C-alpha cells in the first residue's frame, strides 16, 4: 500500500520494478517532488499520484527502447 510508504521508497521500488536498476539521486528527488506536486497542486489522491508517477516511468526512453 503506497499510502504508508515514503515517496523516496515508492520511487526506488518503481524504478527497480520497471527498469531492473537502482534509481539515481536525481530520479528519486524528481519523482518524490512530482508525487507531492500532484497531491498538493493538482489535488489528486496519494494513490493516484503514485499511479501517475509510475506511468511516467513507462514513458522514459529507457523503458521504451532496448539497446
Amino acid at each position: 500500500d503506497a499510502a504508508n510508504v515514503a515517496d523516496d521508497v515508492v520511487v526506488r521500488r518503481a524504478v527497480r520494478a520497471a527498469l531492473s536498476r537502482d534509481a539515481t539521486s536525481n530520479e528519486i528527488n524528481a519523482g518524490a517532488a512530482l508525487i507531492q506536486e500532484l497531491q498538493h497542486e493538482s489535488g489528486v489522491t496519494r494513490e493516484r499520484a503514485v499511479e501517475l508517477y509510475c506511468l511516467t516511468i513507462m514513458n522514459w526512453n529507457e523503458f521504451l527502447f532496448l539497446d
Side-chain angles (χ1 to χ4, degrees):
D1 182 64
N4 298 321
V5 179
D7 295 336
D8 65 319
V9 174
V10 169
V11 171
R12 289 174 198 269
R13 288 178 181 174
V15 171
R16 168 60 58 196
L19 304 175
S20 298
R21 66 164 179 80
D22 292 333
T24 66
S25 296
N26 287 343
E27 289 167 342
I28 294 167
N29 293 336
L34 177 60
I35 292 169
Q36 287 297 308
E37 181 179 328
L38 288 168
Q39 291 177 89
H40 300 292
E41 294 180 23
S42 298
V44 301
T45 64
R46 166 103 172 122
E47 182 178 347
R48 184 63 178 150
V50 169
E51 289 172 354
L52 291 170
Y53 170 71
C54 291
L55 286 173
T56 70
I57 294 174
M58 289 187 242
N59 285 297
W60 293 4
N61 283 341
E62 187 175 348
F63 185 81
L64 298 173
F65 298 100
L66 295 174
D67 288 332

